[in-house]
Amino acid sequence: MSTETFELLAETQDVLNVAAAFFGGLFVAGALILAVRIGMRVLDKDIHHPSPEEQPRLPMTGPIHEEREMREPDEIPVAEDGTRLMPYELHHSGSRRGKDQRRRRWLPGSSGGFGSGGPGHV
């Protein structure tokens, strides 16, 4: 075989590689589009979309506003015989309304968060 034959075969091989890559990409893109369409069809059949009548509505009294209050935790009860209480002997941790309802405010120079570089309690 001559050099010209090898050059012709190489050029033909390059064209075939490019065409194979193009059609392979086209096949993958088509498969993805088909998968999305099938998935959308399945979701439309499975999921019940609420009708406008089933949507949530505002109460007749209007919107409900947030209420803030300061809470204090319940104290842990002391055992009668002075031994340590076990977790199953405790009641659910509750809280009660605090006597002081003023919101705690940050005072400059009074504290710093951990790792913030602040001086801490002064």
Side-chain angles (χ1 to χ4, degrees), residues 80-121:
E80 290 82 25
D81 57 354
T83 60
R84 181 173 78 116
L85 287 174
M86 301 306 288
Y88 57 84
E89 297 173 317
L90 297 174
H91 63 281
H92 293 293
S93 64
S95 62
R96 62 183 181 276
R97 184 176 165 87
K99 295 173 187 162
D100 183 18
Q101 288 297 309
R102 286 181 295 152
R103 211 169 98 194
R104 293 185 184 168
R105 298 287 186 181
W106 176 76
L107 300 173
S110 67
S111 68
F114 178 76
S116 68
H121 289 287

Side-chain angles (χ1 to χ4, degrees), residues 32-80:
L32 289 173
I33 290 171
L34 183 65
V36 168
R37 292 188 71 180
I38 290 173
M40 289 172 60
R41 206 174 302 147
V42 167
L43 280 177
D44 284 342
K45 288 179 185 176
D46 286 348
I47 297 177
H48 166 70
H49 298 288
S51 64
E53 294 82 30
E54 296 173 336
Q55 297 291 333
R57 304 243 183 251
L58 275 176
M60 298 301 268
T61 58
I64 300 170
H65 297 286
E66 180 179 306
E67 183 178 317
R68 291 182 181 219
E69 67 178 10
M70 303 302 289
R71 307 286 293 176
E72 292 179 355
D74 283 340
E75 298 297 324
I76 297 177
V78 179
E80 290 82 25

